[in-house]
Amino acid sequence: MEARLNIMANPVAAKAMKHIIAAHKALSDSTLPAATRELVMLRASQINGCAGCIDMHTKEAAAAGETAVRLNLVAAWREATVFTDAERAALELAEEGTRIADAAGGVSDEVWANAAKHYDEDQLAALVAQIAIINAFNRGNVMTQQPAGDYQVGQVH
């Protein structure tokens, strides 16, 4: 498979992507656990069918010590017993935040309140930003049909 557009070689796209990547990197300084950020990015990428981001975040999470069992169960987190209540709240927020067009009200008050029980305001801000950023990456990659499978740990992070 060949990409429709080489995003990082095109000067217009590369200039914009540089800022999205910087925003993504800024979130690593937040107190939101890195494992939670990876799980959220993986789940949103699964929903959006973004093979490149699934490849990247699966490999990055594994390199950071995430287990294969947890990574394999992200797609079915509701039925899995391997996630904390906080992680489950973050995954639910990621799903509703990713599927905004599917729900007339966007993210429900119930889902927001559940996330707020587990995360402070700064962590919620990081979670919201992370969900928005991964959705931007997913959409760009899917539109341009970026191929997956060759990502190397640390290549972008």
Side-chain angles (χ1 to χ4, degrees):
M1 180 175 173
E2 197 169 308
R4 291 175 170 160
L5 174 71
N6 184 334
I7 292 175
M8 296 314 283
N10 177 278
V12 172
K15 185 176 181 180
M17 290 304 293
K18 177 178 78 172
H19 295 288
I20 297 172
I21 291 167
H24 167 76
K25 287 181 178 179
L27 294 176
S28 65
D29 295 335
S30 78
T31 60
L32 183 66
T36 301
R37 290 189 321 106
E38 290 294 341
L39 294 173
V40 160
M41 290 186 286
L42 178 56
R43 184 63 191 127
S45 300
Q46 290 170 338
I47 292 166
N48 290 324
C50 182
C53 289
I54 293 168
D55 183 33
M56 174 191 293
H57 295 294
T58 300
K59 289 174 180 174
E60 289 290 345
E66 194 59 75
T67 68
V69 170
R70 283 169 45 94
L71 290 174
N72 289 328
L73 287 173
V74 167
W77 65 267
R78 282 181 176 80
E79 293 80 25
T81 60
V82 297
F83 302 105
T84 67
D85 288 344
E87 290 167 337
R88 296 169 70 74
L91 288 164
E92 188 172 34
L93 183 62
E95 284 191 0
E96 285 201 4
T98 297
R99 292 183 165 135
I100 287 176
D102 298 340
V107 173
S108 71
D109 290 340
E110 179 184 11
V111 167
W112 183 263
N114 190 34
K117 286 192 309 192
H118 299 283
Y119 300 102
D120 65 27
E121 188 172 284
D122 287 348
Q123 291 170 322
L124 284 170
L127 197 52
V128 167
Q130 190 68 80
I131 294 164
I133 291 166
I134 194 60
N135 273 281
F137 278 124
N138 291 166
R139 282 157 175 73
N141 286 342
V142 169
M143 283 188 279
T144 59
Q145 295 183 342
Q146 296 299 310
D150 295 332
Y151 180 81
Q152 301 295 314
V153 172
Q155 185 176 328
V156 173
H157 283 183

